[in-house]
């Protein structure tokens, strides 16, 4: 166990809040990668709930191999029609039977895909959709994905890490992280805006530069000129809003390709609200982290969460412990980073290492005590199945309140 010293030095990795330059990205809820994350996560939640209902435990599965393969829409100036379907491919491994009885796996997964796409894509009803199943039940253990009884689920006796992995939790969210979430939410509330909104914010000292890419939803705007006017107006309002709440200068720019490649590039009209209309693909784990953003400053590794088994998989359960530990420590000692390493087969209350970095001085052993108390918790299942890591757009009002707290 190692605990970093509170004083900023060469021996201590600075927290994101302390960096002179911080870069954060958000792939919106309609981005192809976020669509894949959301489908995988909802499919796992629905499957887990069904397993609990019929078997009394979550059966073995990992659905973190979902692919969203873009369709193709033939466009007029501001409208269009699908002539090649959007395809969702389910990969990974999953138990299809319990005690010899089949489980409705295909139905659960397909309904989860439809429900999430309907939530994430404002133009879903205009999408042609095709669903494919490439999941398997292969394993070196003969009954791992075909349990005869609950005795074939060894993690029920004591959950353990299924792999060696390094998980990091940071709290609270930085102002820059909140800015990119707010940028998406700000545009997403507009009826003409699609949901494949991508935002990238750079904080250089106390100066923020926010770049946003926003698609238009067919049927709401009649020309590229009207689209440009709507984007400009919304960006100006967002700039004013952020300027009132952040301590430094704020610049918001949108759809920057327009100014460099001519007027045709400004015609970013979509049927679904997403670039999947143009054939863009998405895969689980290529986009946002558990936090909902992409922030290299957290040094959080590349362990994907979405679609993984909530009963014991380290990518999900370990991530939950890291996040909860960071939340508890931050409540006592301010901004912090908690890094946890588990080796394959280790119980969750026995990590191989714990690293604690806090901005404010903590009494010796106090932060570690909070972390270890969190690691002893076993109540993660209900929280995970409630949709804690399911991609969503937070309300503007909630994000504004978070920004005021983060900006001090």
């Amino acid at each position: 166990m190692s605990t970093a010293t509170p004083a900023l030095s060469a021996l201590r990795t600075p927290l994101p809040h302390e960096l002179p330059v911080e870069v954060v990205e958000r792939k919106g809820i309609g981005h192809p990668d976020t669509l894949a994350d959301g489908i995988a996560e909802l499919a796992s939640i629905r499957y887990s709930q069904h397993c609990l209902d019929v078997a009394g435990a979550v059966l073995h599965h990992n659905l973190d191999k979902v692919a969203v393969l873009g369709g193709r829409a033939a466009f007029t100036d501001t409208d269009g029609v699908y002539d090649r379907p959007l395809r969702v491919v389910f990969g990974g491994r999953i138990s299809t039977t319990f005690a010899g009885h089949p489980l409705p796996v295909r139905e659960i997964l397909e309904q989860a895909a439809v429900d999430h796409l309907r939530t994430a894509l404002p133009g879903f009803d205009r999408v042609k959709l095709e669903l494919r199943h490439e999941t398997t039940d292969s394993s070196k253990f003969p009954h791992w994905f075909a349990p005869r009884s609950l005795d074939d689920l060894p993690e029920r006796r004591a959950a353990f890490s299924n792999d060696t992995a390094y998980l990091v939790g940071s709290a609270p969210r930085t102002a820059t992280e909140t800015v990119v979430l707010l940028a998406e939410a700000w545009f997403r509330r507009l009826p003409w805006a699609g949901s494949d909104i991508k935002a990238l914010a750079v904080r250089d000292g106390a100066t923020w530069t926010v770049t946003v890419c926003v698609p238009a939803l067919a049927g709401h705007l009649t020309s590229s000129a009207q689209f440009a006017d709507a984007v400009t107006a919304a960006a100006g309002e967002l700039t004013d809003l952020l300027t009132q709440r952040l301590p430094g200068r704020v610049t918001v720019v949108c759809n920057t390709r327009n100014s460099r490649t001519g007027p045709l590039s400004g015609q970013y009209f979509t049927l679904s609200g997403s670039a999947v209309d143009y054939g863009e693909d998405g895969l689980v784990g290529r986009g946002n982290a558990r936090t909902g953003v992409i922030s290299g400053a957290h040094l959080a590794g590349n362990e994907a969460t979405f679609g993984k088994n909530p009963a014991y998989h380290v990518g999900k359960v370990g991530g939950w412990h890291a996040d909860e530990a960071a939340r508890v420590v931050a409540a006592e000692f301010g901004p912090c980073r908690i890094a946890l390493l588990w080796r394959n087969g280790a119980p969750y209350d026995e990590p191989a290492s714990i690293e604690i970095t806090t901005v404010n001085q903590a009494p010796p052993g106090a932060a570690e005590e909070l972390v270890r108390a969190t690691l002893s918790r076993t109540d993660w299942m209900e929280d995970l199945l409630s949709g804690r890591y399911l991609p969503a757009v937070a309300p503007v009002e909630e994000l504004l309140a978070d920004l005021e707290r983060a900006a001090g």
Side-chain angles (χ1 to χ4, degrees):
M1 203 287 294
S2 61
T3 303
T5 58
L8 187 59
S9 71
L11 299 177
R12 174 187 178 283
T13 302
L15 295 170
H17 313 70
E18 302 168 307
L19 292 170
V21 177
E22 180 189 9
V23 181
V24 181
E25 182 182 0
R26 161 72 178 181
K27 292 183 177 181
I29 192 172
H31 188 284
D33 290 330
T34 313
L35 292 176
D37 291 340
I39 291 169
E41 186 67 0
L42 186 59
S44 173
I45 290 171
R46 296 274 181 84
Y47 176 77
S48 298
Q49 290 170 332
H50 181 79
C51 290
L52 288 169
D53 289 341
V54 302
V58 175
L59 304 183
H60 296 149
H61 71 280
N62 285 312
L63 295 171
D64 55 333
K65 304 297 188 293
V66 171
V68 173
L69 306 180
R72 183 176 63 193
F75 283 91
T76 61
D77 287 344
T78 59
D79 207 343
V81 62
Y82 261 71
D83 62 5
R84 184 175 69 199
L86 170 67
R87 292 145 293 160
V88 173
V89 182
F90 285 100
R93 299 186 294 174
I94 189 168
S95 301
T96 57
T97 64
F98 177 70
H101 300 291
L103 300 171
V105 171
R106 293 176 68 95
E107 292 84 351
I108 292 171
L109 270 53
E110 291 183 4
Q111 191 61 54
V114 169
D115 289 348
H116 184 71
L117 290 173
R118 190 179 299 280
T119 297
L121 299 177
F124 173 75
D125 289 338
R126 303 187 69 178
V127 173
K128 288 184 179 179
L129 178 64
E130 182 179 293
L131 300 166
R132 301 180 184 177
H133 294 265
E134 299 294 340
T135 58
T136 74
D137 58 1
S138 300
S139 174
K140 63 182 179 180
F141 305 113
H143 301 291
W144 196 258
F145 292 104
R148 298 158 296 183
S149 69
L150 295 181
D151 291 337
D152 286 330
L153 308 178
E155 70 278 359
R156 289 188 68 245
R157 292 183 287 276
F160 54 87
S161 173
N162 68 310
D163 202 353
T164 298
Y166 184 68
L167 280 299
V168 174
S170 298
R173 194 162 55 205
T174 70
T176 314
E177 291 174 310
T178 303
V179 163
V180 295
L181 294 171
L182 179 60
E184 177 193 14
W186 183 255
F187 282 95
R188 185 65 195 88
R189 78 194 212 290
L190 303 171
W192 58 263
S195 57
D196 188 356
I197 298 168
K198 192 172 182 179
L200 188 144
V202 179
R203 176 184 58 78
D204 187 348
T207 298
W208 278 266
T209 303
V210 187
T211 305
V212 189
C213 182
V214 186
L217 193 62
H220 292 270
L221 301 172
T222 59
S223 68
S224 291
Q226 188 179 11
F227 180 23
D229 290 343
V231 169
T232 300
E237 293 168 355
L238 179 59
T239 301
D240 293 341
L241 195 71
L242 293 175
T243 299
Q244 295 168 12
R245 288 167 171 79
L246 293 172
R249 185 166 60 88
V250 178
T251 302
V252 178
V253 293
C254 294
N255 296 13
T256 55
R257 185 179 179 184
N258 300 358
S259 61
R260 294 183 179 272
T261 56
L264 290 178
S265 65
Q267 296 184 5
Y268 187 13
F269 287 91
T270 65
L271 294 181
S272 67
S274 171
V276 294
D277 297 353
Y278 295 90
E280 291 283 349
D281 301 334
L283 296 170
V284 172
R286 284 175 48 90
N288 304 315
R290 302 185 312 274
T291 55
V293 300
I294 304 167
S295 176
H298 287 303
L299 305 177
N302 61 353
E303 186 71 39
T305 296
F306 311 103
K308 288 181 174 171
N309 192 326
Y312 67 90
H313 199 295
V314 67
K316 180 163 282 181
V317 177
W320 182 89
H321 276 104
D323 292 342
E324 282 296 289
R327 180 184 63 81
V328 171
V329 171
E332 289 290 328
F333 305 115
C336 70
R337 177 178 181 269
I338 311 298
L340 303 168
L341 171 65
W342 284 277
R343 294 195 178 99
N344 196 339
Y348 279 105
D349 59 356
E350 297 180 15
S353 69
I354 302 174
E355 301 167 45
I356 304 172
T357 307
T358 58
V359 167
N360 300 319
Q361 179 73 45
E368 180 186 348
E369 184 178 344
L370 292 174
V371 172
R372 291 199 177 276
T374 301
L375 293 176
S376 69
R377 290 174 55 184
T378 59
D379 59 335
W380 61 78
M381 182 74 76
E382 182 178 355
D383 193 16
L384 293 174
L385 295 188
S386 72
R388 172 169 181 158
Y389 295 126
L390 191 65
V393 181
V396 169
E397 295 75 16
E398 176 184 314
L399 293 169
L400 286 174
D402 284 351
L403 186 61
E404 290 181 356
R405 286 192 292 269

